[in-house]
Each structure stands twice: as C-alpha cells, then as structure tokens.
Amino acid sequence: MKIIKFGGKSLSNGEGIQKVVHTIAQKYFNNESITVVVSARGNATDELVILLKKAQDNIRFETDFLAFKKYQLEGLNENIFEDEFNALQKLLEGVSLLGDFSDKIKDLVISYGEILSAKYLVHLLNENAIKANFVDARNLIKTDNNFGNALPIESISKKNVIDFFAKNSDKVNVVTGFISSTVLDETTTLGRNGSNYTASLLANYLNAKEFQNYTHVDGIFTANPDLVSDAKKIDKLSFNEANELANFGAQILHAKTILPLVEKNIPLRILNTFNSENKGTLITSEQTNEGIKSLSVLTNVSLINLEGRGLLGKTGVDARIFRVMAENDISVSIISQGSSERGIGIVVDSDKASKALVGLEKEFENDFYTKDVNKISINDDIAVISIIGQDLINFHKSFTALIRNKITPILLNNTVTGRNISLVINKTEFKKALNVIHGEVFGVSKKINIAIFGHGTVGGTLIEQIIESTEKIEAKKGIRLNVFAIANSKKVLLNKFGIGSNWKNALEEKGENYRVEDIIQYAKEHHLENLIAIDNTASGDFVSHYISLAENSFDLISSNKIANTASYDFYNQLRKVLKENQKEYLYETNVGAGLPLIDTIKLLHLSGENITKIKGVFSGTLSYLFNSFSSQNRKFSEVLQEAIDKGFTEPDPREDLCGNDVGRKLLILARELELQNEFNEVKIQNLIPENLQKGEVSDFLNQLDEFDAIYDEIKNNQEENHVLRYVGELSGDLQQDKGNLEVKLVSVPNNSALGSLQGSDSIFEIYTGSYGEQPIVIQGAGAGAKVTARGVFGDILRLSDKKL
C-alpha cells in the first residue's frame, strides 16, 4: 500500500481538485493499493480561525460564513454538508454569546476544514466510478488532551488503524488529516504539519511501501523558490538530511513527520500535483553525497538578548535561562553567548517571546538590583537563515559575500556536528541575504545587478554590449549580468528581472520620473544583491550621489571624470566612504579609454616604484587633429571640420580644444600618485583663439578659418622633421604633496614615440626610477564610444570577478 497525501492548495477549487481526482484515478485504475490523506481545502483553516475570532469579538460573521460555504460547495450539484454547516453555525453562535473560546473549541471548529475536504473528495471520486470511503481520523488516532498540539497514543492508535484497514480495504479510504481525538472522543489537532503527520503515522502502522506527499511545488529545493529564483530541485535526500531541513524550518517537512517513516524505513516522495511529469524529491535511508543541501528560513521568530557586565565570570546563567524556557514550554532554536557570558542571545518563536521575557525578568530580578544584569530585551525584527550541510571551514566565502553586500549577521550559531550554520539577521535583509548565500554556496551563476546612468553614445553602446554578451559570459564565467535600471537625466526604466534589447522604446514609453534615492529604494525593496552603479554621464550633479550609492551597497564604475577631478576634499571623502562600506570604485576609462593605464600606474605606485614623470597625448580627438594636420598639406580648419563631421569631437568642439579634458585626465593620474593638486593648479594652453572662446556654437563653427593663420605659423616655425602634438605632462618632485601639471602644444621629432603616433591613438610615457630614461609606453585607441564602452565593460567584469 502507498499513502497518498494532498495539501490544501492541491485540493483547492478549479485545476487543483481536478488534478487530485485525475491522480487518484490513474492509481486506482492501475490497481495500485492506496490510502488518501487530505488537508483542508484552499484556505479553509485560516477562514475558520477568522470566523472564530469575529464571533469572539461579537463581529457579524454571517457574510464571511456564507462565502466559506459557497467555496466549499463549488462544483457540487447538491448540499452534502448541511449537517456540518449547521454544527459550525451553532458553535460560532455559542462563541459569540460567550465572547471567548477555548483551545478545545478551536480544535473542534477548525476540524471541519478536513472533514469537509475528505467528504468533498469522496463525493467526486464516487461520481467518477472510483469506490471511495470517508474516514474520520478521530475514530482512529487517539491522543492526549493537549489541544492544538496533541500527542498520539501509539498503542491505541496503531490498533485502531490496523483493525479498521483490515476490514475496509475494498475501497479508496480518504482520511481526514490533522485531526484526532482523546479517548473521551474530544476533538484534538496534531499541530503544525498535522496532515503530513497523520499520513506518516498511517504509513508506519500499515507498513506502507511509500508515502507520497503531493504539494504545489516540484519537491524540496535548495531554497524557497518563491524567495530565490535560482533555487534548484533536490532529487534525493537521506532521512538525516531531511530531518535537519525540517528542524531548521523547511516548510514542506517537519521533524515529527519524518520519525515514523525512519522507524519503518518507508520512503517519502515529495511531488507536485500540478506537474505530473516531475519525479519530485525522494527521501530514503540511503545517505547521499555530503555537501550543502539547502537553505531554510525562519521569520516568525524573535531574539531575546540578556546583557550584563556583572555576568563576567559568573557560571550557570545559561542553565537558569533554559530552566525558565522549560517551565514555560518554550523551545529555544538558537543560543549564542560569549565565553564570559556578558551577553547571551536566544531565538524563540515570536508568539512565545513575551512569555519568555516575563519569565526571564522574574528569574533575574535580584540580578537587576545588584546590576549584574543591565537589560533583557526582545528584537522581533529578525529572521534566521540556516545553511544545511555547511562546513564552518568553508563558511568564510558566504560570510564575506554577505559583508560585501552590507549585510552583517547579528548572531552566528554552529551545530555540534559542525555541518549546519544558522545566522540571525535583520528581517528586512533576509531575502537579499538568502540570495547572496545561495549564489555563493550552490555554484549557480552569480547575479550582478547593474544600474546604468546615462545612455548616450558610450552608455548606449555599453548596454548593447552587455545584452549581446550576457549568455556567453554566464556560460564562461558563471556570472549573470542583470541590468535592472537604465536612467537618463529625467526618466528611469526599472525591471528587477533584467531589461532587454527593446530598452530604448521601453524607456521612452514606460520610463518614470525619478530621483537616485528611488533607485536605491527599488534595489532594497526587491532585495537585489551585488549592486553596481555605472555613471556614463558628464554630469557634475550626479557625482554628488556617489557617496549615498556607496553607503547603500553599490560598487561604482564611471567613465565620468568629474568625481576624480573635483575638490581634493571630496576626492578623499569619497574614498573614505568607499573604504568604510567596503565598496569598489573603478574608472579605468577616465584616462586612455580602454587602455590599461590607471591600473598600471596604481600597481607601480603600490609596489613602491618611484614614478618620476608621466607624459603623453591624452586626447584621441586632439591626437587625430594634430596627427593629420602635421602630416598633410591642409589647413587646420579643414582638418578640424573633418573631425567634427566624423563625430570625433564634442557637439561643441571648444570642449576638446580648450584643453580642460586633458587637464582633468592629467589630474586623475596625479592623484593616483597621492598628489594633492587641485584642477585650478593645472597649467592649460587653450588652443582656441581668444575671440572665439565664448559665444554660440553656431557662431564658432562659422569662424573656423580664424584658426588657419595661427596654426600655419606654428607648423612652419618647427624644426625640420618635427610634428605637433598636444600633450599633458606631470613632472617635478612627485614624492612631495604636489607636482607640476602642464597641458601644452609641443613640437617633437617625427621619429620619436610621440611623433610616430597615428590616427586617433593615445600614447602615455611613464618614467620611473627603475627604468631610467627608458619609459614604460602604453599606446592604443584612446577614443571612441565602442572603445570606452568596452573599457567600462572590462571594469564590470573586473568587479564581478572580485565578487566570486
């Protein structure tokens, strides 16, 4: 025989109950010997409790009761529950008159959920030519009188079950789960997971071949799939592993359900009523491979803290705490304390926390007077995440990932076996923490959640590069890049599951007005982990949000140079905040687009290398301009117009020609050497004639020929075989607080490194004490949206690797 149990969602109206009948029919007509155990249908138990409380408070319950009856009768052609509804009506009216109800009455009222469910199913089965029999478990399972959580009397219950089934094996017996009775026939209930417990007891007493538990999920997962989208189904578990999961809060399992199965070595299979193709999770006595099995969460718990300096060196405090808990029938799921016992934290069920507090305050009353105990407090805003199978030796990876995401556990607890770890965390953070740990311990693709600010030439190119490369990167590196926000200066498009290739239209049609704080809040509300904010704007205002982003778990990547060239005070403040919050800030594209310049300078400086000078062509636009002008017999205005037409310059070319951009890049490199220069200390040669430096862009573009005489003269006055280059140079005693920063137009030999530059390439010469007059040269494409976007992409992958 197999015991088949169906949960409340499986038995709900519509598809659920139809699937249940179909499942039973398949087994029945295949001549399988089965007994069915049922829970209350849908939300019947909760609805009956609500009716009870309304009756107790003398609130009219007729409308709710009518809705309850309507749901229970749906799909039937006749009222088969008249007696049950009348009995319920009288019970509720009695509670209303008394204004109160006992646990005994509550058990009797909620028992009707299972009674109605079993009778409903029997009626449908008989209509479908399946011979079925209603079985009231109160006639079989006898218990003590601990109403609400009764304990079965095995000797009586076992005999009742064996005798009954010996005489009633010719039909499909449909048994009410959850409910039972005392030897005086007073209705009791079996507590949490009671219907599964009923099925487990029947399996034990009848030596069943298998217990099949049909639910609304495909089996047991590595985490609750409602909370972790990447959760994976576990195919097999041992009883020991299942028992650990049950003890630490797995919703489908409960420890008392497993024990009767272990005793008779009866397999338990968790199946999905709504997915007949799925094989579920099989739980047997066979030990599976060691390793982390699952994450479970407890949210209906509270932390009680006992604090006192006077407890230092005082023994027996924990014994007194446990005595109080035992006297009040309170189970402690976690205890954590220092060796000095100056602080002790215990985790209990939230509905027992106040009772525990009162008991502890009474127990330690004298200790308050002697000031050995300073404070006993309750924290209800907690959750417990347990990692089943986690070895403490390897836990550092999960812990580091939590800290990196600004989640600090309140307490840590390791079991005696050393194979399970529980963390007490703030309830507001438990979903995010669960996803962080799951991604870390189960080796699934680590999700990197990205907010992109600015989708112009560079930003738009970057978005396309990410979308095109996502699947390849996930397959190769185990990293899933998830762009959850794309924003311009006015609107933002948000999607926690990721924004797709139609982002431009979606932003235009569905984008909403926003503040940066709204995006931070969105990430919090949706528990997004491994956050990166990317600044592809040229906005000075946006830079002011860097600090709040870092304080709220975002790492930063920027192609915007302003943050690194703002005041030195802000520069230092930002780095202080980044350090305090253990956040990274990458900006390789600030100088040299995609060239590995900043990283090289950082490494040289950190290694103790004495950098004596940095010189180079910093601007790809100006590199193209002077490379072409020097090598061709053309007027300066013609070359400048060509650069404008090709999109090499900013919309207002004066932003390139004034030299400020080169000055900012030079300042960024200086600050990498810990120099304290400000931007106004950079000497910059403006390439624009003074009369054209101000005014409208259109006027400027109509007067480009005014450049010709000036630059023809400069070009013609050069030495032979020399060319013009616009360079930035950092020099002076770079071991001091400040260096000499200069941006200028120079003439250099055409066979030199600077002179041989072509196209729009950039080149950087790094002079050091070790290399002497032979500089380290870094050269390559220093401009262009694709190159810059690829450089930002590189920073994303670099950051992502650090999160592995």
Side-chain angles (χ1 to χ4, degrees):
M1 176 185 287
K2 293 180 181 178
I3 304 298
I4 313 297
K5 183 261 174 179
F6 293 98
K9 290 185 178 179
S10 297
L11 293 158
S12 58
N13 287 338
E15 182 188 9
I17 192 68
Q18 293 172 13
K19 292 280 188 181
V20 168
V21 172
H22 179 72
T23 300
I24 295 172
Q26 279 189 318
K27 296 178 184 296
Y28 178 80
F29 292 115
N30 284 334
N31 296 317
E32 291 187 46
S33 176
I34 60 171
T35 291
V36 177
V37 178
V38 296
S39 297
R41 298 199 312 119
N43 298 316
T45 302
D46 290 340
E47 291 167 0
L48 287 167
V49 171
I50 291 171
L51 287 169
L52 257 179
K53 290 182 178 178
K54 284 194 171 185
Q56 178 188 37
D57 296 335
N58 203 24
I59 299 172
R60 294 184 67 86
F61 59 81
E62 289 81 4
T63 302
D64 288 348
F65 191 34
L66 186 63
F68 174 82
K69 291 191 289 185
K70 182 180 179 181
Y71 184 91
Q72 296 300 321
L73 289 169
E74 186 175 315
L76 300 178
N77 296 321
E78 57 182 312
N79 183 359
I80 63 173
F81 300 138
E82 188 171 348
D83 292 342
E84 287 79 12
F85 289 159
N86 288 337
L88 267 173
Q89 179 81 33
K90 290 178 181 178
L91 283 169
L92 293 171
E93 288 173 352
V95 170
S96 184
L97 285 172
L98 292 172
D100 200 4
F101 61 85
S102 63
D103 288 339
K104 179 178 176 180
I105 292 297
K106 181 180 180 181
D107 274 3
L108 181 55
V109 169
I110 64 177
S111 71
Y112 281 94
E114 275 67 25
I115 293 168
L116 296 172
S117 179
K119 286 192 171 183
Y120 186 98
L121 181 57
V122 167
H123 183 85
L124 291 184
L125 292 175
N126 285 318
E127 281 189 335
N128 284 272
I130 300 169
K131 295 179 180 179
N133 180 45
F134 168 75
V135 182
D136 190 335
R138 292 178 295 184
N139 298 323
L140 303 179
I141 308 297
K142 296 297 177 178
T143 68
D144 59 18
N145 62 356
N146 184 21
F147 298 101
N149 192 22
L151 184 66
I153 302 170
E154 183 176 357
S155 57
I156 302 175
S157 301
K158 185 174 182 179
K159 183 177 185 303
N160 288 343
V161 169
I162 293 173
D163 289 348
F164 176 85
F165 278 87
K167 300 172 184 177
N168 296 276
S169 59
D170 58 331
K171 296 182 178 180
V172 174
N173 289 303
V174 180
V175 186
T176 56
F178 181 57
I179 66 175
S180 46
S181 69
T182 68
V183 291
L184 299 176
D185 292 331
E186 299 166 307
T187 298
T188 57
T189 58
L190 299 177
R192 179 189 170 202
N193 220 244
S195 292
N196 286 342
Y197 192 26
T198 300
S200 181
L201 290 172
L202 293 180
N204 179 289
Y205 299 158
L206 298 171
N207 294 312
K209 180 180 179 182
E210 186 172 275
F211 171 13
Q212 296 182 353
N213 185 1
Y214 280 85
T215 69
H216 64 288
V217 294
D218 285 340
I220 297 175
F221 283 73
T222 51
N224 185 339
D226 292 333
L227 302 175
V228 180
S229 60
D230 294 329
K232 307 297 181 185
K233 184 173 73 69
I234 303 171
D235 292 328
K236 290 184 179 180
L237 282 172
S238 69
F239 281 126
N240 286 337
E241 291 163 341
N243 195 47
E244 291 290 345
L245 286 172
N247 284 327
F248 285 101
Q251 292 183 346
I252 296 176
L253 298 172
H254 194 279
K256 66 183 181 184
T257 301
I258 296 171
L259 293 178
L261 303 177
V262 173
E263 184 180 325
K264 294 289 186 72
N265 194 20
I266 298 169
L268 167 61
R269 192 182 297 274
I270 311 296
L271 294 162
N272 188 347
T273 304
F274 303 91
N275 183 6
S276 58
E277 300 300 318
N278 179 63
K279 294 182 179 180
T281 297
L282 179 63
I283 303 171
T284 67
S285 59
E286 183 180 347
Q287 190 64 37
T288 61
N289 294 331
E290 289 192 11
I292 298 170
K293 292 299 177 184
S294 185
L295 306 180
S296 63
V297 179
L298 295 172
T299 55
N300 57 337
V301 289
S302 298
L303 173 64
I304 300 178
N305 284 310
L306 180 74
E307 303 171 28
R309 292 181 178 276
L311 298 178
L312 180 62
K314 203 170 186 177
T315 59
V317 175
D318 52 349
R320 294 168 66 187
I321 292 173
F322 277 105
R323 183 171 64 249
V324 171
M325 299 299 108
E327 289 172 352
N328 289 278
D329 192 27
I330 299 172
S331 175
V332 175
S333 55
I334 292 177
I335 181 168
S336 182
Q337 63 188 91
S339 59
S340 67
E341 298 192 57
R342 288 177 60 182
I344 300 176
I346 60 172
V347 175
V348 300
D349 289 345
S350 291
D351 59 357
K352 301 287 184 68
S354 296
K355 189 176 181 181
L357 179 64
V358 171
L360 289 171
E361 287 178 338
K362 183 177 179 181
E363 172 67 27
F364 289 94
E365 186 175 4
N366 291 332
D367 300 88
F368 274 107
Y369 287 125
T370 60
K371 296 186 178 180
D372 286 340
V373 174
N374 301 327
K375 184 181 180 183
I376 302 177
S377 60
I378 296 177
N379 181 358
D380 293 319
D381 189 29
I382 66 152
V384 176
I385 297 177
S386 296
I387 313 175
I388 312 304
Q390 171 71 74
D391 194 319
L392 191 60
I393 295 173
N394 298 317
F395 177 63
H396 66 281
K397 294 181 179 178
S398 299
F399 187 81
T400 301
L402 288 173
I403 298 302
R404 192 166 53 235
N405 281 277
K406 292 204 71 180
I407 301 170
T408 305
I410 301 169
L411 290 179
L412 292 174
N413 181 265
N414 188 29
T415 60
V416 174
T417 63
R419 299 294 300 162
N420 306 311
I421 292 176
S422 295
L423 302 88
V424 179
I425 60 173
N426 289 322
K427 188 175 289 185
T428 55
E429 298 176 330
F430 90 88
K431 289 183 181 179
K432 181 177 179 180
L434 195 63
N435 279 274
V436 169
I437 296 171
H438 189 273
E440 194 66 44
V441 301
F442 287 105
V444 296
S445 295
K446 189 178 297 298
K447 185 184 288 185
I448 307 297
N449 288 292
I450 301 170
I452 297 178
F453 298 89
H455 56 81
T457 310
V458 173
T461 304
L462 173 66
I463 294 167
E464 297 297 339
Q465 288 176 351
I466 292 174
I467 292 171
E468 290 172 6
S469 306
T470 296
E471 291 184 7
K472 183 178 180 181
I473 290 171
E474 183 171 3
K476 188 175 181 179
K477 299 177 71 68
I479 295 170
R480 190 194 313 168
L481 302 179
N482 183 61
V483 179
F484 77 93
I486 297 176
N488 54 34
S489 60
K490 295 179 180 179
K491 290 185 176 183
V492 65
L493 178 65
L494 295 165
N495 187 336
K496 67 177 181 178
F497 299 111
I499 296 170
S501 56
N502 192 37
W503 61 270
K504 287 183 181 178
N505 291 334
L507 179 60
E508 185 175 340
E509 296 171 5
K510 300 177 182 178
E512 299 178 354
N513 295 331
Y514 78 101
R515 300 172 304 156
V516 173
E517 291 78 10
D518 298 328
I519 297 177
I520 293 172
Q521 189 59 35
Y522 182 89
K524 287 181 178 179
E525 289 174 356
H526 292 88
H527 314 287
L528 302 182
E529 75 277 19
N530 300 321
L531 295 164
I532 299 178
I534 301 177
D535 178 12
N536 288 317
T537 74
S539 168
D541 292 337
F542 183 76
V543 166
S544 64
H545 296 291
Y546 280 20
I547 288 176
S548 62
L549 285 165
E551 289 174 338
N552 286 281
S553 298
F554 282 83
D555 288 296
L556 305 175
I557 294 174
S558 176
S559 60
N560 184 351
K561 308 174 188 68
I562 294 176
N564 286 324
T565 57
S567 70
Y568 193 71
D569 287 343
F570 175 80
Y571 183 88
N572 276 337
Q573 182 190 7
L574 175 58
R575 277 149 181 81
K576 180 181 178 183
V577 170
L578 290 165
K579 184 176 181 181
E580 289 172 350
N581 290 275
Q582 299 187 45
K583 295 290 105 182
E584 298 278 348
Y585 174 31
L586 301 186
Y587 43 89
E588 185 64 60
T589 58
N590 273 196
V591 187
L595 298 177
L597 176 64
I598 292 177
D599 266 0
T600 301
I601 290 172
K602 279 183 177 179
L603 288 172
L604 288 170
H605 185 61
L606 288 172
S607 69
E609 182 63 72
N610 178 25
I611 295 176
T612 57
K613 184 170 70 172
I614 298 174
K615 183 179 180 180
V617 174
F618 286 66
S619 167
T621 300
L622 297 180
S623 176
Y624 175 84
L625 189 61
F626 284 104
N627 291 346
S628 301
F629 178 63
S630 296
S631 61
Q632 301 171 16
N633 186 23
R634 299 169 63 194
K635 292 187 177 296
F636 189 87
S637 60
E638 291 179 14
V639 179
L640 178 54
Q641 186 64 59
E642 182 180 67
I644 295 170
D645 294 340
K646 288 185 175 182
F648 289 171
T649 70
E650 295 293 332
D652 184 349
R654 289 175 294 186
E655 293 182 25
D656 299 294
L657 296 166
C658 71
N660 287 345
D661 184 61
V662 177
R664 291 190 187 95
K665 292 175 180 178
L666 189 62
L667 179 60
I668 290 168
L669 299 188
R671 288 182 171 176
E672 291 301 320
L673 302 181
E674 298 181 67
L675 298 174
Q676 300 176 20
N677 291 85
E678 299 285 3
F679 182 69
N680 60 13
E681 295 173 330
V682 183
K683 296 179 181 178
I684 300 173
Q685 179 181 346
N686 193 324
L687 297 174
I688 308 167
E690 190 171 346
N691 64 308
L692 299 182
Q693 292 178 7
K694 295 181 180 180
E696 296 297 324
V697 179
S698 57
D699 294 336
F700 169 77
L701 294 175
N702 288 328
Q703 301 178 71
L704 298 184
D705 55 2
E706 294 194 24
F707 282 88
D708 294 338
I710 299 171
Y711 288 96
D712 281 345
E713 182 179 356
I714 295 173
K715 180 180 179 179
N716 294 331
N717 287 336
Q718 292 183 101
E719 294 182 29
E720 190 176 355
N721 298 322
H722 274 57
V723 290
L724 296 174
R725 297 291 182 261
Y726 192 68
V727 302
E729 183 173 325
L730 170 62
S731 60
D733 187 350
L734 304 186
Q735 301 303 309
Q736 302 300 314
D737 291 341
K738 294 188 178 184
N740 299 323
L741 287 76
E742 189 173 4
V743 177
K744 56 190 175 181
L745 185 64
V746 297
S747 178
V748 298
N750 58 15
N751 60 356
S752 64
L754 289 174
S756 59
L757 203 60
Q758 295 183 354
S760 59
D761 280 4
S762 292
I763 186 171
F764 304 93
E765 299 177 338
I766 305 170
Y767 294 83
T768 69
S770 298
Y771 288 86
E773 292 302 313
Q774 294 296 321
I776 299 169
V777 177
I778 297 174
Q779 180 178 344
K786 288 186 178 180
V787 173
T788 304
R790 188 60 65 182
V792 174
F793 204 161
D795 279 346
I796 294 172
L797 296 178
R798 195 175 295 115
L799 254 183
S800 301
D801 281 340
K802 291 183 179 182
K803 296 177 183 292
L804 289 177

